[in-house]
Amino acid sequence: MGNRAADGGDGLKHYAGEDLGVLVSPTATVEEAYLLARLAEGLGCANIDHRLRQSDFADQHSAPLYPWLGGPLADLENRDVVLLIGANPRKEVPIIAHRLRKAALSGARVFAINPLAYDFNFKLADQIAVKPSQLVAELAAVTAAALQLRGASAPAELQSLIASRR
């Protein structure tokens, strides 16, 4: 019988081009995703996606093509303060956990707001574990405190959320 993909993917060629859609697991390695993208490209398919659990694509044209921190990962170790929200970098993105550990060892204050009290490989300045249903309210409180420190007012879209938290 043989491996159909290794044999040239004759079964796939029938559905090549715009008739084909390719989904790659978000847990796949970069190498696996790259190879799958090359396979799709070889079949003339540009329909490839990794957002398997996303159900609302209304704003996909304004969303970034991939998650980005706004700068190089190496810059994380030069931060003075970091706030992690719903993240377990030690398990999810070990290179970020490594950079954050270097920052913490250099005196950075790392805070975390998560649904669980995760075990980090560096000392946290503080960690808040809240029910997932309370995460938005907790973030509203953090936003309110940050705005108060800056002497700024919240944008209209956030004012009612912040007010409901008080």
Side-chain angles (χ1 to χ4, degrees), residues 85-143:
I85 303 167
N88 184 2
R90 187 174 187 181
K91 181 176 180 180
E92 297 163 350
V93 190
I95 190 67
I96 288 178
H98 171 69
R99 298 293 185 172
L100 291 174
R101 183 175 189 279
K102 288 176 78 173
L105 290 173
S106 296
R109 296 176 56 192
V110 182
F111 298 86
I113 301 174
N114 284 313
L116 296 171
Y118 296 122
D119 181 30
F120 292 91
N121 61 343
F122 49 87
K123 186 175 188 233
L124 292 173
D126 197 5
Q127 177 170 212
I128 299 171
V130 297
K131 294 178 184 177
S133 61
Q134 295 299 312
L135 187 58
V136 172
E138 200 62 47
L139 293 175
V142 170
T143 302

Side-chain angles (χ1 to χ4, degrees), residues 140 143-148 151-163 166:
T143 302
L147 288 169
Q148 185 177 18
S153 59
E157 302 87 20
L158 294 178
Q159 287 178 0
S160 64
L161 181 62
I162 291 172
R166 291 183 182 154

Side-chain angles (χ1 to χ4, degrees), residues 2 5 8 26 35-36 53 56 66 73 79 89 122 137-139 146 151 162:
L35 290 173
L36 188 58
R53 293 186 177 95
D56 181 5
Y66 54 89
L73 288 179
R79 300 290 176 214
F122 49 87
E138 200 62 47
L139 293 175
I162 291 172

